Amino acid sequence: MAVLANPRLVSELEHYGAQDVVKCYHCGNCTAACPFSREPFIFPRKSMRFLQMGLEDKLRGNLEPWLCYYCGECSEQCPREAEPGETMMAMRRWLTGQYDFTGISKLFYRSWKVELFAILLVALLTGIGFFLYGSSRGDIGIYDGPGAFLPSSMVHWFDWGMAAVLAGLLLVNCVRMWWFTTGRDRTLHIPLSSYVQKAWLLPVHFFTQKRYRECNRKRPWLIHLVLMLSYVTMLVLIMFFLHAMQSGPAIRWTAHVFGYAATIGLLGTVAFALRGRVRSVETHYRHSHETDWMFLIMLAYVALTGIVQHVLHRAGNAPAANVVYLAHLMGVVPMLVLEVPFSKWAHMAYRPLAMYFAEVQTEAITAREKDRAAIRAAGSQPA
Amino acid sequence: MISESRIGVYFCRRSSSPAGQADLAELSRYAAAFPHVTDVKDFGELPHLDPEALTREFTKLRLTTVVIAGDSPGFFKPAFARALAEADGDPERVRLASFREHGALYGNITERAKAVLCCAIYGVPYGLATVPDTTPVHPDTLVVGGGIAGMQAALEIADGGMKVYLVEREPTIGGHMAMFDKTFPTLDCAACILTPKMVSVGQHEMIELMTWSEVEKVSGTPGAYRVQVRRKARYVDADACVACHACMEVCPIRVDSEFDSGITTRKAIYIPFPQAVPNSYILDAANCTYVQSERQKCGACLKRCAKDCIHFDDVDQVIELEVGNIILATGYDVFDATRIERYGYGHLPNVLTALEFERLTNASGPTGGNIVMKTKKLNKRTKQEEWVFDPEGPRPESIAIIHCVGSRDANYNPYCSRVCCMYSLKFAHLVKEKLPNAKCYEYYIDMRAFGKGYEDFFERIKDEGVFVVRGRSAKVTEKDGGLLLRGEDILSDKVMEFPVDMVLLAVGLEPAPGTGELASVLGIPRDEDGWFQELDYNTDPTGTERGGVYVAGVCQGPKDIPDTVAQASAVAARVLRSIVSHRGQDSRSSLPLAQIESRARRLAGV
């Protein structure tokens, strides 16, 4: 089979944040240091090798970057300061670009200006759209109930519509991911039953992120889990209980208590991550791509505007609450529309999927090796 | 000819350059002032050079010659040579102005860089244009360090009939080589080669041996140095002592033996090893009860010595020497393996460093050459359990050797220590020789079998059934009383966890402690890794910035025994030349830039 080498692959990855890949001299220290590096998925050295050799197609089908949680052990021990951990991070960004069929993701990762422009554009369109809708039907002086500026029923339908579009986009990308990493490999024979039997891994990895906990340092796992659970809580509240959330001005504790917990979780973890990236002392925070900053800043913005509109509503200042709500939506919509299918947030789908595919593949690879061993053994028998 | 050439001068920097940088703006102006220099450009740090763009540039400028200037500019030569060839030039006419390599490291960096640049523009070897002037020379020589390098140089000069003072910091000469079991690749017994040389040094009428002494101060000029040597109090009259061991037998104090790398103990009054030269005991005052109690307690050795050669009133003496040449042969120290915690050295008993294993496998070592594992023994005196080597202890069934410990590592020492691959292969051989059924694994990054017969040796070791695994192991942990190694086997694409009984760490070499002090006493620079900076890496690897001061052996940079001996002999030849001709080299830094320029012009025929 012909293998195509892309000699400019390393320079390409540099746009995605890879640094010093060429310094690697393949001592294997990183692989041995990595707590996740187990057969048949041995990393990060092998990926560094593929990268240096420009084996673009092999890298495209590589699950390993998603199996890495960037504890930083490999980068700390690397005798060449070749930053294998950061290279894995860059490869995740690159892979997100590869899985995305629209090509938008590649544009965002390669140029922060394009991404910022897109965010501002979507924010503007959202703002104009909701403003026109609100002013045509409602009154800016009313926050909730009949005649409300942004009634929860309308926002609710909008949410579900947007969710359907985003899920569709992400699903197509996930199918592409399956094809690149698993589907197109003709040497692997994966029975459908294997996919079904292992399907339980998807929710397990999504909700517990238990694999992250296998890193030597536990704190990043905890931070990440809190951030993720807070966000999921928020998502559930908004998708299913928007009406309850928007009612007021009295506090409806049965719904709002979850909202408060999620907000605290979100703000705390975002602040922690931002502080880590600003200080850039810990290995996994030492290098920050522009997309990392944008993601965190948008999360912080959305959380803060959410709090302010909630407080204003409780305080009885409906016009101000409506304005802030509009500003909040102008943050939420671009964040979801652009980050979920095209940027950093896509990892919420790719990571559990990668772990699932890895398990399925492991089973198939073990079976394949057994077959091959049997053939070899038969071949060595006298005729 | 230079008159027809059109020269382009290009500055390229490597990120690993030393902290002190030459002033490139100043250098650019300097280069541009040459009449034949058509183009001067600074490409900055680690540039991505595009040969096609360079070709267009060179064609446009009709360049005939290219000078690449910077630290280690040879790194960038391929791109320039190709571009020059594509531009119908002669790729041979790419010249290097190597700043760091020609000593633009310390002091007046820009001035030195200018001289290097000038020589490169004229196409004159820098070493040729900067041969220092000569000065009269005192016939005596000082050798600092009594390892194999210092001994070899001292013997060569003394055999030539000239007086040598050999100053050694330790109580005996011999250095690290005396500790070794075998040499690679010939597997000669190290002591069998070394001890006769040690005896010759000790008995030579032209060598004045000063052990347990250190150089304190150096003054004077090249050819006429005045040196102050501190002779530390030995408390034992080395001339009278006959090493009858009576004092040692009664001494109650036990401390770790330096000579045996701490794997066994010695007494407070001791002889480092039986073949020590001078063959005399020495008292370790810091650990002696009699000295520490101000002559109130113990004193057993004093009562026991039949020849009255123990003198507790011995004091340090400062001796003044006048010498013409000084040879530095201060050697090295091994990397401190406790710095890499994940290898477990220091808290896992059966993780040993290379020097410890040398002593363990040495027939004159504490186990009589038996390779054994440490066992727990009750120390009767302290009532504590200790890990000790018992000659009858259990034999290891599997041994792993980890290469590049502290070497080729940006976190520790970035350089290759050059000897570790080969001594590790030697260890594997010794293991296989003494324990034929033991499994032996070598974990290496790159196998550097660079010398004569070394590759053969490597092949031989592989044939002996040693498992040579490409991949540096990252971790040593304890498991079920044994050791567990984790590493990647790169060639067979596996991550392995190997249970072994013993791990040997192939520790790298570092400059000996005190190298910095000695460099400042002598006023000679050290390179970025801490070794003494030689005058010119290619053409004068034994000279230093200061005339009449030479380097030999590992103190100039890691090297094996054959190279060390060769360099020591080379130094001796240079010293003898200066003595015989009564004229020695002055310091190169005494040459002003204008003089180097005029010499370069003359040599280039301008």
Side-chain angles (χ1 to χ4, degrees), chain B residues 319-345:
Chain B
I319 297 162
E320 288 258 345
L321 305 174
E322 263 185 51
V323 294
N325 294 296
I326 299 173
I327 298 171
L328 301 176
T330 52
Y332 64 93
D333 196 9
V334 292
F335 175 80
D336 174 14
T338 52
R339 286 173 63 193
I340 308 183
E341 270 174 39
R342 55 183 199 271
Y343 288 149
Y345 178 72

Coordinates of all heavy atoms in Angstrom, one line a residue, chain B residues 319-345:
Chain B
I319 N 53.4 24.9 50.1 CA 54.7 24.8 49.4 C 54.6 25.6 48.1 O 53.6 25.7 47.4 CB 54.9 23.3 49.0 CG1 55.0 22.5 50.3 CG2 56.1 23.1 48.1 CD1 54.8 21.0 50.1
E320 N 55.7 26.3 47.9 CA 55.8 27.2 46.7 C 56.6 26.5 45.6 O 57.7 25.9 45.9 CB 56.5 28.5 47.1 CG 55.7 29.4 47.9 CD 55.1 30.6 47.1 OE1 55.6 30.8 46.0 OE2 54.2 31.3 47.6
L321 N 56.0 26.5 44.4 CA 56.8 25.8 43.3 C 57.0 26.9 42.2 O 56.2 27.8 42.0 CB 56.0 24.7 42.7 CG 55.5 23.6 43.7 CD1 54.6 22.6 42.9 CD2 56.7 22.8 44.2
E322 N 58.0 26.7 41.4 CA 58.2 27.5 40.2 C 58.2 26.5 39.1 O 59.0 25.6 39.0 CB 59.6 28.2 40.3 CG 59.4 29.6 40.8 CD 60.7 30.4 40.7 OE1 61.4 30.4 39.7 OE2 61.1 30.9 41.8
V323 N 57.3 26.8 38.2 CA 57.2 25.9 37.0 C 57.0 26.7 35.7 O 56.6 27.8 35.8 CB 56.0 24.9 37.1 CG1 56.2 23.9 38.3 CG2 54.7 25.7 37.3
G324 N 57.3 26.0 34.6 CA 57.1 26.7 33.3 C 55.8 26.3 32.7 O 55.1 27.2 32.1
N325 N 55.4 25.1 32.8 CA 54.1 24.6 32.2 C 53.3 24.0 33.3 O 53.8 23.4 34.3 CB 54.4 23.6 31.1 CG 55.1 24.2 30.0 OD1 54.6 25.1 29.3 ND2 56.4 23.8 29.7
I326 N 52.0 24.1 33.1 CA 51.0 23.4 34.0 C 50.1 22.6 33.2 O 49.5 23.0 32.2 CB 50.2 24.5 34.8 CG1 51.1 25.4 35.6 CG2 49.1 23.8 35.6 CD1 50.4 26.6 36.2
I327 N 49.9 21.3 33.6 CA 49.0 20.4 32.9 C 47.9 20.1 33.8 O 48.1 19.7 34.9 CB 49.8 19.1 32.5 CG1 50.9 19.4 31.6 CG2 48.8 18.1 31.9 CD1 51.8 18.2 31.3
L328 N 46.7 20.3 33.3 CA 45.5 20.1 34.1 C 45.0 18.7 33.7 O 44.7 18.4 32.5 CB 44.4 21.1 33.9 CG 44.8 22.5 34.2 CD1 43.7 23.5 33.8 CD2 45.1 22.7 35.7
A329 N 44.8 17.8 34.7 CA 44.3 16.5 34.4 C 43.4 16.1 35.6 O 43.6 15.1 36.3 CB 45.4 15.5 34.2
T330 N 42.4 17.0 35.8 CA 41.6 16.8 37.0 C 40.4 15.9 36.9 O 39.8 15.6 37.9 CB 41.1 18.2 37.5 OG1 40.4 18.8 36.3 CG2 42.2 19.1 37.9
G331 N 40.2 15.4 35.7 CA 39.2 14.3 35.6 C 37.8 14.7 35.8 O 37.4 15.8 35.5
Y332 N 37.0 13.8 36.4 CA 35.6 14.0 36.5 C 35.0 13.4 37.8 O 35.7 12.9 38.6 CB 35.0 13.2 35.3 CG 35.2 11.7 35.4 CD1 34.3 10.9 36.0 CD2 36.3 11.1 34.8 CE1 34.5 9.5 36.0 CE2 36.6 9.8 34.9 CZ 35.6 9.0 35.5 OH 35.8 7.6 35.5
D333 N 33.7 13.6 37.9 CA 33.0 13.0 39.0 C 31.8 12.4 38.3 O 31.4 12.9 37.2 CB 32.5 14.1 40.0 CG 32.1 13.4 41.3 OD1 32.3 12.2 41.4 OD2 31.5 14.2 42.1
V334 N 31.2 11.3 38.8 CA 30.0 10.8 38.1 C 28.8 11.5 38.5 O 28.7 12.1 39.6 CB 29.8 9.2 38.4 CG1 30.9 8.5 37.7 CG2 29.7 8.9 39.8
F335 N 27.8 11.5 37.7 CA 26.5 12.1 37.9 C 25.8 11.5 39.2 O 25.9 10.3 39.4 CB 25.6 11.9 36.7 CG 24.2 12.4 36.8 CD1 23.9 13.7 36.6 CD2 23.2 11.5 37.1 CE1 22.6 14.2 36.8 CE2 21.9 12.0 37.2 CZ 21.6 13.4 37.1
D336 N 25.2 12.4 39.9 CA 24.6 12.0 41.2 C 23.2 11.4 40.8 O 22.3 12.2 40.5 CB 24.5 13.2 42.1 CG 23.7 12.9 43.4 OD1 23.4 11.6 43.6 OD2 23.3 13.8 44.1
A337 N 23.1 10.1 40.9 CA 21.8 9.4 40.4 C 20.6 9.7 41.3 O 19.5 9.5 40.9 CB 22.0 7.9 40.3
T338 N 20.9 10.2 42.5 CA 19.7 10.5 43.4 C 18.9 11.7 42.8 O 17.8 11.9 43.2 CB 20.1 10.9 44.8 OG1 21.1 11.9 44.7 CG2 20.7 9.7 45.5
R339 N 19.5 12.4 41.9 CA 18.8 13.6 41.3 C 17.6 13.1 40.4 O 16.7 13.8 40.2 CB 19.7 14.4 40.5 CG 20.7 15.3 41.3 CD 21.7 16.0 40.5 NE 21.1 16.9 39.5 CZ 21.8 17.5 38.5 NH1 23.0 17.1 38.3 NH2 21.2 18.3 37.7
I340 N 17.7 11.9 39.9 CA 16.6 11.4 39.1 C 15.8 10.4 40.0 O 16.1 9.2 40.1 CB 17.0 10.7 37.8 CG1 18.0 11.6 37.0 CG2 15.8 10.3 36.9 CD1 18.4 11.0 35.7
E341 N 14.8 10.9 40.7 CA 14.1 10.1 41.7 C 13.4 8.9 41.1 O 13.4 7.8 41.8 CB 13.1 11.0 42.4 CG 13.6 11.7 43.6 CD 12.5 12.6 44.1 OE1 11.4 12.3 44.1 OE2 12.9 13.8 44.5
R342 N 12.9 9.0 39.9 CA 12.1 7.8 39.4 C 12.9 6.6 39.1 O 12.4 5.5 38.9 CB 11.4 8.3 38.1 CG 12.3 8.8 37.0 CD 11.4 9.2 35.8 NE 12.3 9.3 34.6 CZ 12.9 10.4 34.3 NH1 12.9 11.5 35.0 NH2 13.6 10.4 33.2
Y343 N 14.3 6.7 39.2 CA 15.1 5.5 39.0 C 15.3 4.8 40.4 O 15.9 3.7 40.5 CB 16.4 5.8 38.4 CG 16.3 6.1 36.9 CD1 17.2 6.9 36.3 CD2 15.3 5.5 36.1 CE1 17.1 7.2 34.9 CE2 15.2 5.8 34.8 CZ 16.1 6.6 34.2 OH 16.0 6.9 32.9
G344 N 14.9 5.5 41.5 CA 14.9 4.8 42.8 C 16.3 4.7 43.4 O 16.4 4.0 44.4
Y345 N 17.3 5.3 42.8 CA 18.6 5.1 43.4 C 18.6 5.8 44.8 O 18.2 6.9 44.9 CB 19.7 5.7 42.5 CG 21.1 5.7 43.1 CD1 21.7 4.4 43.2 CD2 21.7 6.8 43.6 CE1 22.9 4.3 43.8 CE2 22.9 6.7 44.2 CZ 23.6 5.5 44.3 OH 24.8 5.4 44.9

